[in-house]
C-alpha cells in the first residue's frame, strides 16, 4: 500500500505589514501541492515529516496536525479527508524552519542526506522555490507548508 501526500502552501501577507497578531494577518492558501508535483518518495517524506521513516531520519516536522489558524481554503480542501481512516498523519512546517534545517544531516545509515532526498534538485525543488519566493515577499515565518498523508 502506497502513501500519498496532499497539502497546500499558505502565506500570511498581512503579518509583515501589520504584525502577526493583527486581525487582518490571516493565512491564505497560495498553491496546492498537487500542482507542484512533489511526488511521494518515501525518503523525502521520512526526512521532512517522519512518515514511513524506515531510513532513520530525524524528521523536521512530525505530527503537528492541521494548524488551528489554517486558511479557509485549506480547511475546505482538507475537510473530505478529516474523518477518513485512510489519513495517517497531518503536519506543517514554515519556510523559516526549512531554511534553518541542516540539509547535510543524514539518515541512520549515513548514506542519504536530507538534501539528496528532498533538496532543491529533487521533486521537492518546485515546492521550495514557491516557498522561497513567498518568504522573500512576506517573511519566512509567514509561509508554511501544510500536508497530510493518505
Amino acid at each position: 500500500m502506497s502513501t500519498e501526500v496532499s497539502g497546500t502552501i499558505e502565506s500570511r501577507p498581512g503579518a509583515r505589514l501589520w504584525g502577526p497578531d493583527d486581525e487582518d494577518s490571516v493565512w491564505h492558501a497560495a498553491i496546492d501541492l498537487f500542482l507542484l508535483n512533489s511526488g511521494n518518495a518515501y525518503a523525502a517524506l521520512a526526512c521532512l515529516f517522519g512518515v514511513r521513516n524506515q531510513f532513520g531520519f530525524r524528521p523536521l516536522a512530525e505530527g503537528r496536525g492541521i494548524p488551528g489558524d489554517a486558511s479557509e481554503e485549506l480547511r475546505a480542501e482538507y475537510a473530505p479527508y478529516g474523518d477518513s481512516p485512510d489519513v495517517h498523519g497531518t503536519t506543517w512546517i514554515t519556510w523559516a524552519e526549512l531554511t534553518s534545517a541542516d540539509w547535510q544531516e543524514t539518515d541512520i545509515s549515513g548514506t542519504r542526506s536530507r538534501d539528496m532526498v528532498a533538496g532543491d534538485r529533487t521533486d521537492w525543488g518546485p515546492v521550495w522555490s514557491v516557498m522561497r519566493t513567498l518568504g522573500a515577499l512576506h517573511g519566512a515565518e509567514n509561509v508554511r507548508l501544510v500536508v497530510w498523508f493518505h
Side-chain angles (χ1 to χ4, degrees):
M1 175 191 247
S2 68
T3 297
E4 300 294 326
V5 60
S6 295
T8 299
I9 296 172
E10 295 185 303
S11 67
R12 187 169 53 165
R16 190 169 205 176
L17 300 171
W18 306 297
D21 298 325
D22 187 89
E23 64 183 25
D24 292 324
S25 295
V26 297
W27 290 93
H28 298 273
I31 190 167
D32 190 302
L33 194 57
F34 173 76
L35 297 173
L36 300 172
N37 192 27
S38 61
N40 67 342
Y42 294 148
L45 298 182
C47 82
L48 296 170
F49 311 116
V51 172
R52 290 201 172 227
N53 195 3
Q54 67 268 23
F55 304 95
F57 276 106
R58 188 177 55 86
L60 296 178
E62 182 176 18
R64 294 178 172 177
I66 296 292
D69 58 354
S71 67
E72 290 180 27
E73 300 94 340
L74 184 135
R75 289 182 187 284
E77 183 182 346
Y78 179 72
Y81 296 97
D83 293 326
S84 172
D86 295 329
V87 172
H88 50 90
T90 57
T91 195
W92 57 272
I93 190 166
T94 66
W95 182 240
E97 291 174 295
L98 286 162
T99 60
S100 67
D102 178 359
W103 287 88
Q104 299 313 309
E105 183 177 333
T106 62
D107 64 1
I108 199 165
S109 73
T111 59
R112 289 177 284 275
S113 72
R114 207 178 295 285
D115 185 55
M116 288 172 63
V117 301
D120 280 329
R121 292 174 308 280
T122 70
D123 288 340
W124 285 86
V127 176
W128 308 149
S129 180
V130 169
M131 291 183 78
R132 184 178 296 111
T133 299
L134 290 170
L137 293 170
H138 307 299
E141 66 283 353
N142 297 312
V143 177
R144 68 184 173 200
L145 173 62
V146 182
V147 293
W148 54 93
F149 309 95
H150 49 98

